[in-house]
Amino acid sequence: MDAPPQDPAHAYHEVAAKIARAAKACGRDPGEVTLVAVSKQQPWEAIEPVLAAGQRVFGENRVQEAMQRWEDRREGLTLHLIGPLQSNKAREAVAFFDVVESLDREKLARALAEEIQKQGKAPRLYVQVNTGEEPQKAGVIPGEADAFIALCRTSFGLQPEGLMCIPPAEEPPGPHFALLGKIAARNGLAGLSMGMSGDFETAIRFGATSVRVGSAVFGARG
Ligand SMILES: *Cc1c(COP(=O)(O)O)cnc(C)c1O
């Protein structure tokens, strides 16, 4: 049997309502939680209705793909880079994105700082933490997070706004969200980018200030 036809605008409103409900349920203002709609690998037919429904914040995991998709309709949008960034793409990333969530190593911090200086504009920055210490995953490990945040600030003049994590797929995410919150708090960082389609309500309970939701809004990726 075929899957029922997807209606992204409907799914988008559902996700937005779930975010509001999850926030209220733990005594938070729903306005404190930003929905980053992850449009990577989605066909335009899935994205267009969500844009038409009023969504303005989108997440992409590849620089080139994001530029192809959004370059001609960039106006009024807030675009987040949520995928790994090679330092040789720092120029494009600084020029194109409003937020870069994958700052995780010294070489990249240096490249971003140089581009910010050159271009006279700075994306908002999140340090990615590999809370599960998974070898295949990007992010600074928790034991090195404090030192890396300090390095970003003192050596490169970068002012990260928060932390981002992607918990291991096969573990309950709560402890990872709690750990990210703890690292953020002791480093004076207010932003917590955590929670995806399967766990954004949990993430909100643990203090997420932005959730990155793809398939629950747009449907399964192609
Ligand atoms: C793809 C992706 C998401 C969205 O995942 P869904 O499960 O489709 O919601 C969120 N965060 C990152 C870093 C991603 O790469």
Side-chain angles (χ1 to χ4, degrees), residues 49-64:
V50 175
L51 193 61
Q55 177 67 13
R56 291 294 176 266
V57 184
F58 293 89
E60 291 283 348
N61 70 335
R62 286 160 172 248
V63 176
Q64 298 308 331

Side-chain angles (χ1 to χ4, degrees), residues 2-3 13 16 19 41 49 83 87 103-104 125-126 134-135 140 160 163 192 195 207 209 217 219 222:
D2 288 337
H13 288 300
I19 289 171
Q41 294 163 44
S87 43
L103 172 55
D104 67 351
L125 296 173
Y126 282 68
E134 296 172 279
V140 60
L163 302 179
L192 286 174
T209 57
V217 169

Side-chain angles (χ1 to χ4, degrees), residues 38 40 61 82 164 166 196-197 212-215 221:
V38 178
K40 68 180 186 196
N61 70 335
I82 61 173
M164 183 271 248
I166 311 167
M196 318 197 329
S197 287
R212 310 176 308 269
V213 182
S215 45
R221 283 179 286 277

